[in-house]
Amino acid sequence: MFDDLLVRAPVTGDFDRWLPLWDGYNEFYGRSGDTALPLDITVETWARFHDPRQPVHALVAEAGGELIGLAHFLFHRSTTAIADSCYLQDLFTSAPARGRGVAGKLLAAVAAEARSAGSARVYWQTHETNGTARSLYDKLAERSGFIVYRMAV
């Protein structure tokens, strides 16, 4: 655990400290080198976090003056509930922060944001090979049993 861990919304001046986390997250999921996200997507994603008209939000974890984790989430309508759902799209902690409670704090903060917004649930997905994350997720949430499919259009 970090004695001075702070989970907060990022400010525009955090971009240069957020970017290495974002790059690390994308690299973890194989989006690097020739398959890296184009810079315009990263820049637009960052801009959306700071646009109150957008349903996309971010939180960062900070300790010792360094950003050590991120969570990106969005709210959307559902056909099975009146309240919006909260989808946790991205969750990442720096290597030195892993196993020190940062991801759990970020998840709790996203859940608090969802409750505050009137959402009844937060849901997310992870790769089946991400055993470290899955061991945490299995303690905090239930597995839905659904399999994710994607179709390029």
Side-chain angles (χ1 to χ4, degrees):
M1 293 299 269
F2 291 89
D3 293 334
D4 63 340
L5 182 65
L6 172 66
V7 174
R8 61 173 176 79
V11 296
T12 55
D14 286 330
F15 180 82
D16 290 337
R17 298 187 314 146
W18 166 86
L19 186 58
L21 292 167
W22 179 238
D23 288 343
Y25 173 80
N26 283 300
E27 184 175 327
F28 180 83
Y29 281 108
R31 295 184 295 261
S32 62
D34 292 344
T35 60
L37 282 181
L39 181 60
D40 63 328
I41 292 176
T42 293
V43 170
E44 182 63 25
T45 296
W46 182 255
R48 287 176 178 168
F49 296 148
H50 302 286
D51 183 343
R53 298 168 298 174
Q54 293 289 331
V56 181
H57 306 278
L59 294 171
V60 292
E62 182 176 20
E66 299 293 324
L67 294 188
I68 58 172
L70 61 78
H72 304 150
F73 56 101
L74 57 99
F75 296 103
H76 67 85
R77 302 278 191 248
S78 171
T79 60
T80 60
I82 294 172
D84 284 353
S85 292
C86 179
Y87 176 60
L88 174 63
Q89 187 161 7
D90 311 312
L91 179 68
F92 184 77
T93 61
S94 64
R98 292 188 190 132
R100 300 183 68 188
V102 177
K105 294 284 188 187
L106 283 163
L107 280 165
V110 170
E113 292 284 330
R115 274 191 301 280
S116 178
S119 292
R121 70 175 183 153
V122 176
Y123 73 102
W124 62 92
Q125 59 186 339
T126 193
H127 197 274
E128 64 187 353
T129 62
N130 193 352
T132 302
R134 289 180 63 194
S135 67
L136 172 64
Y137 301 159
D138 287 344
K139 294 174 189 169
L140 300 177
E142 65 179 86
R143 289 178 55 189
S144 68
F146 282 88
I147 299 171
V148 176
Y149 291 88
R150 292 187 287 200
M151 178 191 314
V153 295

